[in-house]
Amino acid sequence: MRRISLALSALALAGLAAGCSTIYRSPAVKAGVSDTGKVRVVAMTPETVLVANRAAYQPRTLPAVFRISAGSGAGASPRGAGTLPDAPSTQDGSRQGLRLDPPPSIDPGPYTIGTGDVLVLSTPSTQGTVAELSGLLAAQNSRNGYTVQDDGSINIPDVGRVRIAGLTVDEAEALLFQRLVESQIDPTFSLEVSEFNSRRVSIGGAVGQPGVLPITLTPLTLGEALAAAGSVSVADIDTSSVRIYRDGSMYQIPLEDLYSRSDLQRIPLLADDSVFVDTDYDLSRAERYFAQQIQLQQATLAGRKAAIDELTAALTLRRADLNERRENFAQALELDAVERDYVYLSGEVRTQGRYTLPFERKATLADALFDTGGGIAKETGDASQVYVLRASDDIREFGAVTAWHLDVRNAAHLPLAARFELRPDDIVFVAENPVTRWGRTIDQITPSLITAPVNALAD
């Protein structure tokens, strides 16, 4: 029996020796000089992570089509009021029939921004912030600003279209502040209206300079409007009157009453009011003048509607073009037809393969390990042997490799993984633990231990 036992032992040793030649040798990171070059192992610490992150790398960027909005550069020119028709001629008459019928005194409220207004974003100095916002602030030195388009918006570079029509200056400033902050632009500015074009009052009749007056931040009164139009030019104030056309109603103030009462001179005018100075009580000339103003306003509104329709169609076509180009890029990504940067995961990770570095930002070791659903294989991986292998770019160190070593048996070291930035072609490697290595060795030699004695006995 002892001889049989010794024979079996000898056969087992023979099988073991025979099996050792076929045992799989698991990879490991070894410092020193190898056949391919020099390998340097560096432990990950807060200091060495800073050194590793100094390696030059610029993440790939998305195509410019992803940074363009449909409204960028798609503005339409505002339609102005055009040239006013000539005022009707005057003729002599009498005071008979003139009566005082002033319009109701209405508080116009704060000025609200409208189509055609020109806005300027002013900064406190010409250093720093202005240099950064030179494109955004629209050439402050020449005081060029942004015109409110027909759709009520202004188009700011790097921000896009911002709709501010109907807002007060303070409300528009607050909205622009928010949009600049969202676009990560220094919002040090103040909003000013350099040209008031949206709210106007027409002045005609017996005045020195008939025309159109803008309503600004300060309410425009009847007396101020007449003074700005060159004052009243009539031969006899007894037969003259000021007529105001507002919202389909006609109001009348005899010129004698206007000069004798300061409260009538302080009547605030509203946007689209028409003021006509007539030399007698006949309303026909004033009515013709107002009819001309109504026709002009209707033509202006029709032109603006056509411009808005044109702008809407242009935006629709531009949005469709941008969407098509973005979809084409997404399909190219799916077909792997776009050049990308990769990091490769090897060793005892749950999913071996390549990790695609993202666009426009830098990825970390933690991203590669956990973002792909991989991570260290807890059954087989050695948490003390996590490496990032990075080949040298220096031609003088061709083949040299730096192995950045992280020991995560202490979970307090995990934040280092979240700070260690990856570079293209890095290799993330996790070694197997000793128990796994021994178990795999046993699995590989067990068939040899069984077959070797059988073959020996058969012989």
Side-chain angles (χ1 to χ4, degrees), residues 94-277:
S94 65
R95 168 74 181 188
Q96 181 181 2
L98 290 179
R99 60 183 179 85
L100 177 62
D101 183 20
S105 182
I106 300 176
D107 184 6
Y111 184 88
T112 55
I113 298 171
T115 301
D117 286 345
V118 179
L119 308 180
V120 171
L121 304 180
S122 299
T123 56
S125 66
T126 58
Q127 302 295 328
T129 301
V130 174
E132 295 174 4
L133 305 181
S134 57
L136 180 139
L137 298 185
Q140 297 299 307
N141 292 336
S142 60
R143 302 296 289 177
N144 292 331
Y146 298 103
T147 301
V148 180
Q149 303 297 317
D150 291 334
D151 62 347
S153 302
I154 59 174
N155 189 21
I156 301 178
D158 301 326
V159 175
R161 300 186 71 82
V162 183
R163 183 175 179 81
I164 59 175
L167 302 180
T168 65
V169 175
D170 291 340
E171 292 170 345
E173 189 175 55
L175 177 59
L176 290 174
F177 181 93
Q178 179 182 355
R179 292 295 298 274
L180 292 178
V181 170
E182 292 174 354
S183 301
Q184 298 181 350
I185 299 176
D186 185 357
T188 305
F189 74 98
S190 61
L191 181 65
E192 300 177 3
V193 183
S194 61
E195 295 182 20
F196 299 85
N197 299 321
S198 64
R199 306 177 67 183
R200 299 183 174 188
V201 172
S202 59
I203 306 291
V207 292
Q209 298 176 348
V212 177
L213 299 177
I215 295 179
T216 63
L217 299 179
T218 303
L220 179 66
T221 64
L222 177 59
E224 292 171 346
L226 293 174
S231 298
V232 176
S233 177
V234 296
D236 186 1
I237 65 172
D238 293 335
T239 61
S240 302
S241 64
V242 176
R243 296 191 172 98
I244 301 173
Y245 185 87
R246 175 184 298 171
D247 294 334
S249 300
M250 178 88 71
Y251 303 96
Q252 178 176 266
I253 302 176
L255 204 58
E256 184 178 2
D257 295 328
L258 180 66
Y259 286 160
S260 62
R261 293 177 52 179
S262 60
D263 60 316
L264 296 176
Q265 300 178 26
R266 292 194 297 269
I267 293 176
L269 297 178
L270 305 181
D272 300 325
D273 278 357
S274 293
V275 179
F276 185 87
V277 179

Side-chain angles (χ1 to χ4, degrees), residues 63-85:
V65 68
F66 285 91
R67 289 183 291 275
I68 301 175
S69 64
S72 299
S77 301
R79 269 62 172 179
T83 305
L84 293 175

Side-chain angles (χ1 to χ4, degrees), residues 373-387:
I376 302 173
K378 63 181 180 180
E379 298 87 357
T380 60
D382 187 351
S384 68
Q385 301 294 317
V386 179
Y387 297 90

Side-chain angles (χ1 to χ4, degrees), residues 1 23 109 159 175 188 194 197 236 287 298 325 334 340 348 352 357 361 388 402-403 459:
M1 291 297 292
I23 294 175
V159 175
L175 177 59
T188 305
S194 61
N197 299 321
D236 186 1
E287 290 173 350
Q298 291 174 344
R325 292 160 65 183
E334 294 179 0
R340 301 294 302 273
E348 302 305 317
Q352 296 195 40
L357 294 180
R361 71 175 181 86
V388 176
T402 301
D459 294 337

Side-chain angles (χ1 to χ4, degrees), residues 409 416 451:
R409 288 177 298 177
L416 293 175
T451 58

Side-chain angles (χ1 to χ4, degrees), residues 307-327:
I308 291 176
D309 292 341
E310 180 183 353
L311 176 61
T312 301
L315 289 176
T316 301
L317 293 175
R318 184 174 178 83
R319 186 176 294 110
D321 176 64
L322 292 177
N323 289 337
E324 181 179 5
R325 292 160 65 183
R326 291 166 184 167
E327 290 173 359

Side-chain angles (χ1 to χ4, degrees), residues 309-384:
D309 292 341
E310 180 183 353
L311 176 61
T312 301
L315 289 176
T316 301
L317 293 175
R318 184 174 178 83
R319 186 176 294 110
D321 176 64
L322 292 177
N323 289 337
E324 181 179 5
R325 292 160 65 183
R326 291 166 184 167
E327 290 173 359
N328 291 340
F329 180 79
Q331 292 177 358
L333 280 180
E334 294 179 0
L335 297 174
D336 202 14
V338 177
E339 188 173 357
R340 301 294 302 273
D341 294 326
Y342 301 100
V343 168
Y344 302 90
L345 282 75
S346 177
E348 302 305 317
V349 292
R350 292 199 176 278
T351 304
Q352 296 195 40
R354 66 183 186 182
Y355 169 72
T356 307
L357 294 180
F359 288 105
E360 300 185 352
R361 71 175 181 86
K362 297 177 181 177
T364 65
L365 174 58
D367 291 331
L369 285 176
F370 305 115
D371 189 31
T372 58
I376 302 173
K378 63 181 180 180
E379 298 87 357
T380 60
D382 187 351
S384 68

